[in-house]
């Protein structure tokens, strides 16, 4: 395995070259750089071959929120709606710089994210055509206005697979907005399936913080097989 690091502004991008020649490539956004943990989880669930890119160091609530909203979780939320600025950096700078380091173009691209990054991954599919597989593990589908947006818009390219998951205790939050995450994730899965997208919805045991790498790895395995 070869690891190469890039810095794109304040963001850390790590390429884990695992496969020579044409192979799927997974772009995974997380709060901290967690490539080794994610690859260990992928080994546990026996994923097939792919190359991995981890992206961390983002201004989390600002850069991953699709539009500004008022305080939802805490007084420090700062959902500034800067995803519109971050997505062109991802597709126009991160992806080309990473793929110049490969010895062959990828077979296809997957965009994966956990929590708010999971919402960003699905939202990005409605904005750009570079990712044909989307993974949202414990994604923030509770985000105000998101489900309504998805009903009113179409993905920017035909999606060949979407994996959505949520913890079975995430909807027990005392926060009335966060309580909707389970039903809204299921509703998004139903919406996309009704549009002919190959979708898997999975309910994982535990709350929002239980074993994120394993939850992402399960999604990677399913999307690699579909």
């Amino acid at each position: 395995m070869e690891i190469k690091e890039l810095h794109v502004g304040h963001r850390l991008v790590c390429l884990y070259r695992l496969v020579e020649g044409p192979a799927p490539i997974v772009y995974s956004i997380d709060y901290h750089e967690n490539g080794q943990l994610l690859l260990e989880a992928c080994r546990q669930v026996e994923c097939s071959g792919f190359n991995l890119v981890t992206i961390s160091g983002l201004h989390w609530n600002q850069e991953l929120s699709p539009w500004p909203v008022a305080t939802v979780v805490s007084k420090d939320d700062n959902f500034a709606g800067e995803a519109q600025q971050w997505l062109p950096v991802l597709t126009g700078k991160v992806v080309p710089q990473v793929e110049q380091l490969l010895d062959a173009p990828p077979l296809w691209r997957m965009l994966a994210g956990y929590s708010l990054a999971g919402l960003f991954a699905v939202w990005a599919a409605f904005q750009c055509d570079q990712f044909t597989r989307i993974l949202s593990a414990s994604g923030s589908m509770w985000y105000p206005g998101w489900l309504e947006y998805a009903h009113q818009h179409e993905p920017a390219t035909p999606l060949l697979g979407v994996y959505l998951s949520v913890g079975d205790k995430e909807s027990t939050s005392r926060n009335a907005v966060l309580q909707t995450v389970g039903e809204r994730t299921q509703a998004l899965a139903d919406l996309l399936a009704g549009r002919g997208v190959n979708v898997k919805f999975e309910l994982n045991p535990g709350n929002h913080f239980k074993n994120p790498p394993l939850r992402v790895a399960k999604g990677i395995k399913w999307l690699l097989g579909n």
Side-chain angles (χ1 to χ4, degrees):
M1 177 175 65
E2 180 183 10
I3 306 173
K4 293 192 175 183
E5 291 188 4
L6 303 170
H7 291 271
V8 180
H10 53 272
R11 309 162 195 94
L12 173 62
V13 179
C14 295
L15 167 63
Y16 292 78
R17 284 186 54 180
L18 307 164
V19 180
E20 294 183 0
I25 188 166
V26 177
Y27 289 85
S28 178
I29 300 174
D30 212 327
Y31 195 81
H32 299 293
E33 205 294 308
N34 70 338
Q36 298 286 1
L37 289 173
L38 181 54
L39 289 175
E40 176 56 34
C42 286
R43 283 189 284 270
Q44 290 176 19
V45 299
E46 300 180 336
C47 289
S48 54
F50 66 99
N51 289 310
L52 173 67
V53 179
T54 61
I55 304 165
S56 57
L58 285 88
H59 298 152
W60 190 259
N61 286 356
Q62 296 98 307
E63 292 185 297
L64 296 176
S65 50
W67 45 77
V69 298
T71 297
V72 176
V73 182
S74 75
K75 61 182 177 61
D76 300 318
D77 282 349
N78 195 15
F79 295 123
E82 296 176 5
Q84 293 281 2
Q85 288 77 49
W86 155 235
L87 181 59
V89 177
L90 173 61
T91 58
K93 293 185 178 181
V94 174
V95 168
Q97 289 183 36
V98 163
E99 294 181 8
Q100 285 179 355
L101 301 174
L102 301 175
D103 55 8
L107 290 177
W108 46 261
R109 302 183 188 96
M110 180 194 309
L111 183 58
Y114 195 89
S115 192
L116 191 59
L119 169 67
F120 173 83
V122 182
W123 171 85
F126 286 72
Q127 314 302 315
C128 73
D129 61 1
Q130 296 198 27
F131 306 98
T132 57
R133 278 82 168 173
I134 300 295
L135 190 167
S136 174
S138 290
S140 302
M141 300 306 151
W142 50 261
Y143 199 83
W146 161 245
L147 190 59
E148 294 77 10
Y149 178 93
H151 274 280
Q152 296 165 9
H153 297 79
E154 295 281 346
T157 192
L159 296 174
L160 301 181
V162 174
Y163 176 93
L164 304 170
S165 73
V166 69
D168 61 6
K169 294 183 179 178
E170 292 193 55
S171 297
T172 62
S173 169
R174 283 183 273 183
N175 184 299
V177 176
L178 301 186
Q179 286 175 5
T180 67
V181 66
E183 64 188 60
R184 284 178 167 259
T185 305
Q186 179 69 72
L188 179 65
D190 294 343
L191 172 65
L192 294 174
R195 293 175 175 175
V197 179
N198 187 15
V199 180
K200 181 176 177 65
F201 171 77
E202 186 159 18
L203 197 61
N204 289 303
N207 62 20
H208 184 68
F209 302 100
K210 184 173 181 180
N211 206 341
L214 179 61
R215 292 185 182 182
V216 175
K218 290 165 70 176
I220 291 174
K221 178 178 181 179
W222 185 82
L223 287 163
L224 288 171
N226 288 272

